[in-house]
Amino acid sequence: MSLALALPGCGDGSAAATDSAAATGSSGGIDLTAATTGPAPTTGVPTTGGETDTGGPPAPTFCAQIDVSLVLHPSAKIYGANEQDALVEHFENLVEETGATVRILPNVGTEFMATTDCLTAAGNAADDPILVFGAGGEVAPGAVEALRCTLDRFNVYVSDFDVGNFMFSGLMFPVLERDDWPAPGATGLAMLVAATDDKQANMYAQPGQASEAYLRLVGDGDRRRVSAFTYGDGAPELNMFSLAVSDKSRHYEKSETAYVAALADFTPLAVKTCEDFDYEAPDPEMPPTGCKRIDLLFAIDGSGSMDEEQDALRGANGMPPVLAEFTDALLEELTDVEDFHVGVVSSEQGFTAMHTHRDFPTMPESPETACGLPEGQRWLVGPSDSFADEFACVAATRSGTEEMTYYNLAEALHDPANAGFLRDDSLLFIVILTDEDTYDFVLSTSVAIRQRIVDAVGGDLDRLVVLAIAGGQGVFEMPETVCQGVYGDAAPGRRIITITRGFRERGLFQNICQGDLAATFSGVLDDVVSACAQFNPEP
């Protein structure tokens, strides 16, 4: 599908597009020791980088090509001389410091490729929107002028369909529609510059959806091959996208960091993304000791539609106790683990103290509903002979239909009532179980909720594993709505998935409609075992 965009002085030919089948694989897993760099890029690429400090020949570089998806919001105030100079300098440094072929696909935030005639002066065909900015350490003739011309045209972008602020669509649609973008095996940089945030807000334009697709389709699932630069004012969705892509990604708030300063700060990270393309970390001098303790925190949806899921998790009504069997299997693998804590919080707003009674908080605490926990202790301690029965009691929760699962999880880790649950030397394993999305957008941003969880483990993602079991949303190129599983219907957990992706490889998602809970926990066993084995608590 093509569209002629009304850009003053621009050519009216739209970019040629081809349909490409989308892969359905996903990133994930905790162990990142295996490289998955894929084939070499297909366009002319150098094998050496920029000049060395001694003035000799260019030094070798790990990545031969960098493909930059540059998505610019026309209303962002980045089109002045200083801002243009800063972007040009960013790309010049990228070319000179890596020696890689640097290609740029400029676009506004739109589902349709915004093309201009600016690139013809750089030698492009009329239907070729990809600017080769440089190669072999040298900027290509005419590339700077072509980029400046494109920026001038985007500044006055006009369309009958949007105003250029659909940032995730502007990033992903060219990837889906063009078979020449990106090149196989290239390092990918996503640069999304908005006035505010992504404004499309439909079923596929979600940070978790877009980040998963970018990592899968551009990086072949290898986070070392991709990074993201996002910029906006009050832009938690762009921030979550950046957090999810890789540890070399950065988000900058316009109110806190000027655009010129943000580009200067990101340039070394972009260069490092290239340098780390095929990087294998050396073995640590001191091998990890592994975790001795695991603290497991559940947020369980207590609405009426969750009866079957709760029964399966608890082992009620003749069903095998899924969690008890999982912990047994975990301890068989992790023989050095001394003990674990297990706590449960409700999905009901305002209740972040862990459960000590059955059917809480709808049913008031009473001697008849008590689960037998010691006075002042709001969590279970295992292994124990009574663990399965005690968990079956505390995991029986009843609440309303506006679930605050992620917010309650995050706040439970900081609630003084739960002091002592999370230990300084433990691996924290968080589980969400729900058939609805989390409605905590009325309480906090996704970025703030994620940060509360990260703060609880001292900022160390190596101490954390997050498992979200909720309704799936499909993939960017094939989104899904309500799904049907063994426990009934489930709505897509779009916000849940977005926050979970923000923990990168430490965030695991399982579609509640695909298989039963026994299979789900069995499927993540290796991830938890791997995280525990790699754990090295601070002395």
mmCIF file of all heavy atoms in Angstrom, residues 95 145 147 151 196 266 276 285 371 397 411 444 458 476 527 537:
data_model
loop_
_atom_site.group_PDB
_atom_site.id
_atom_site.type_symbol
_atom_site.label_atom_id
_atom_site.label_comp_id
_atom_site.label_asym_id
_atom_site.label_seq_id
_atom_site.Cartn_x
_atom_site.Cartn_y
_atom_site.Cartn_z
ATOM 1 N N VAL A 95 30.233 7.022 11.812
ATOM 2 C CA VAL A 95 30.984 6.555 10.642
ATOM 3 C C VAL A 95 32.473 6.488 10.942
ATOM 4 O O VAL A 95 33.149 5.477 10.667
ATOM 5 C CB VAL A 95 30.716 7.482 9.437
ATOM 6 C CG1 VAL A 95 31.687 7.175 8.292
ATOM 7 C CG2 VAL A 95 29.289 7.340 8.947
ATOM 8 N N GLU A 145 24.221 16.892 3.116
ATOM 9 C CA GLU A 145 23.220 17.757 2.481
ATOM 10 C C GLU A 145 21.882 17.035 2.330
ATOM 11 O O GLU A 145 20.820 17.643 2.524
ATOM 12 C CB GLU A 145 23.730 18.227 1.119
ATOM 13 C CG GLU A 145 24.929 19.165 1.165
ATOM 14 C CD GLU A 145 26.239 18.453 1.492
ATOM 15 O OE1 GLU A 145 26.285 17.191 1.430
ATOM 16 O OE2 GLU A 145 27.210 19.148 1.829
ATOM 17 N N LEU A 147 20.690 14.651 4.263
ATOM 18 C CA LEU A 147 20.075 14.543 5.574
ATOM 19 C C LEU A 147 19.466 15.876 5.991
ATOM 20 O O LEU A 147 18.337 15.926 6.496
ATOM 21 C CB LEU A 147 21.104 14.087 6.599
ATOM 22 C CG LEU A 147 20.594 13.954 8.049
ATOM 23 C CD1 LEU A 147 19.466 12.933 8.140
ATOM 24 C CD2 LEU A 147 21.737 13.570 8.996
ATOM 25 N N LEU A 151 15.515 16.716 6.840
ATOM 26 C CA LEU A 151 15.058 17.333 8.082
ATOM 27 C C LEU A 151 14.186 18.551 7.804
ATOM 28 O O LEU A 151 13.148 18.756 8.452
ATOM 29 C CB LEU A 151 16.257 17.722 8.945
ATOM 30 C CG LEU A 151 17.120 16.565 9.470
ATOM 31 C CD1 LEU A 151 18.362 17.102 10.163
ATOM 32 C CD2 LEU A 151 16.330 15.677 10.409
ATOM 33 N N THR A 196 6.226 14.687 22.209
ATOM 34 C CA THR A 196 5.724 14.179 23.490
ATOM 35 C C THR A 196 5.996 12.683 23.575
ATOM 36 O O THR A 196 7.061 12.265 23.974
ATOM 37 C CB THR A 196 4.230 14.481 23.654
ATOM 38 O OG1 THR A 196 3.510 13.991 22.507
ATOM 39 C CG2 THR A 196 3.993 15.975 23.777
ATOM 40 N N PHE A 266 24.504 9.878 23.828
ATOM 41 C CA PHE A 266 24.183 8.565 23.260
ATOM 42 C C PHE A 266 25.241 8.075 22.286
ATOM 43 O O PHE A 266 25.384 6.857 22.097
ATOM 44 C CB PHE A 266 22.831 8.629 22.553
ATOM 45 C CG PHE A 266 22.410 7.326 21.928
ATOM 46 C CD1 PHE A 266 22.057 6.242 22.721
ATOM 47 C CD2 PHE A 266 22.391 7.165 20.552
ATOM 48 C CE1 PHE A 266 21.680 5.030 22.156
ATOM 49 C CE2 PHE A 266 22.008 5.960 19.974
ATOM 50 C CZ PHE A 266 21.652 4.892 20.781
ATOM 51 N N ASP A 276 30.379 -4.175 20.322
ATOM 52 C CA ASP A 276 29.969 -5.387 21.042
ATOM 53 C C ASP A 276 29.224 -6.382 20.166
ATOM 54 O O ASP A 276 28.696 -7.370 20.673
ATOM 55 C CB ASP A 276 29.058 -5.012 22.220
ATOM 56 C CG ASP A 276 29.831 -4.370 23.353
ATOM 57 O OD1 ASP A 276 31.072 -4.290 23.246
ATOM 58 O OD2 ASP A 276 29.201 -3.932 24.323
ATOM 59 N N GLU A 285 36.731 -13.642 37.009
ATOM 60 C CA GLU A 285 37.819 -14.143 37.833
ATOM 61 C C GLU A 285 37.283 -15.011 38.974
ATOM 62 O O GLU A 285 37.874 -16.015 39.336
ATOM 63 C CB GLU A 285 38.629 -12.970 38.396
ATOM 64 C CG GLU A 285 39.377 -12.186 37.321
ATOM 65 C CD GLU A 285 40.203 -11.070 37.928
ATOM 66 O OE1 GLU A 285 40.279 -10.991 39.171
ATOM 67 O OE2 GLU A 285 40.776 -10.285 37.145
ATOM 68 N N CYS A 371 -4.546 -18.752 57.938
ATOM 69 C CA CYS A 371 -3.788 -19.799 57.251
ATOM 70 C C CYS A 371 -2.680 -20.393 58.110
ATOM 71 O O CYS A 371 -1.873 -21.191 57.620
ATOM 72 C CB CYS A 371 -3.193 -19.244 55.963
ATOM 73 S SG CYS A 371 -4.446 -18.757 54.736
ATOM 74 N N THR A 397 -7.561 -15.850 46.904
ATOM 75 C CA THR A 397 -7.793 -14.418 47.055
ATOM 76 C C THR A 397 -9.052 -14.013 46.304
ATOM 77 O O THR A 397 -9.391 -14.598 45.268
ATOM 78 C CB THR A 397 -6.580 -13.614 46.541
ATOM 79 O OG1 THR A 397 -6.879 -12.225 46.581
ATOM 80 C CG2 THR A 397 -6.206 -13.984 45.117
ATOM 81 N N GLU A 411 4.599 -2.176 45.037
ATOM 82 C CA GLU A 411 4.449 -1.540 46.338
ATOM 83 C C GLU A 411 4.599 -2.536 47.479
ATOM 84 O O GLU A 411 5.052 -2.173 48.570
ATOM 85 C CB GLU A 411 3.098 -0.830 46.416
ATOM 86 C CG GLU A 411 2.987 0.370 45.495
ATOM 87 C CD GLU A 411 4.127 1.350 45.680
ATOM 88 O OE1 GLU A 411 4.373 1.781 46.830
ATOM 89 O OE2 GLU A 411 4.802 1.678 44.676
ATOM 90 N N SER A 444 -0.060 5.098 38.440
ATOM 91 C CA SER A 444 1.352 5.348 38.190
ATOM 92 C C SER A 444 1.685 5.034 36.739
ATOM 93 O O SER A 444 0.906 4.376 36.040
ATOM 94 C CB SER A 444 2.207 4.484 39.127
ATOM 95 O OG SER A 444 3.569 4.784 38.998
ATOM 96 N N GLY A 458 17.967 -3.173 44.714
ATOM 97 C CA GLY A 458 19.156 -2.335 44.664
ATOM 98 C C GLY A 458 19.631 -2.019 43.270
ATOM 99 O O GLY A 458 20.822 -1.756 43.055
ATOM 100 N N PHE A 476 3.620 -7.749 16.780
ATOM 101 C CA PHE A 476 3.323 -6.453 16.172
ATOM 102 C C PHE A 476 2.609 -6.618 14.829
ATOM 103 O O PHE A 476 1.631 -5.938 14.542
ATOM 104 C CB PHE A 476 4.622 -5.666 15.974
ATOM 105 C CG PHE A 476 4.411 -4.254 15.495
ATOM 106 C CD1 PHE A 476 4.336 -3.217 16.407
ATOM 107 C CD2 PHE A 476 4.307 -3.954 14.150
ATOM 108 C CE1 PHE A 476 4.155 -1.905 15.983
ATOM 109 C CE2 PHE A 476 4.122 -2.653 13.707
ATOM 110 C CZ PHE A 476 4.044 -1.624 14.637
ATOM 111 N N ASP A 527 14.882 -21.156 33.263
ATOM 112 C CA ASP A 527 15.237 -19.745 33.405
ATOM 113 C C ASP A 527 15.551 -19.391 34.855
ATOM 114 O O ASP A 527 16.504 -18.649 35.134
ATOM 115 C CB ASP A 527 14.088 -18.860 32.895
ATOM 116 C CG ASP A 527 13.923 -18.940 31.394
ATOM 117 O OD1 ASP A 527 14.906 -18.694 30.684
ATOM 118 O OD2 ASP A 527 12.816 -19.255 30.933
ATOM 119 N N PRO A 537 25.755 -12.881 45.075
ATOM 120 C CA PRO A 537 25.358 -11.828 46.005
ATOM 121 C C PRO A 537 26.561 -11.063 46.536
ATOM 122 O O PRO A 537 27.649 -11.609 46.702
ATOM 123 C CB PRO A 537 24.658 -12.604 47.134
ATOM 124 C CG PRO A 537 25.200 -13.983 47.041
ATOM 125 C CD PRO A 537 25.472 -14.225 45.590
#
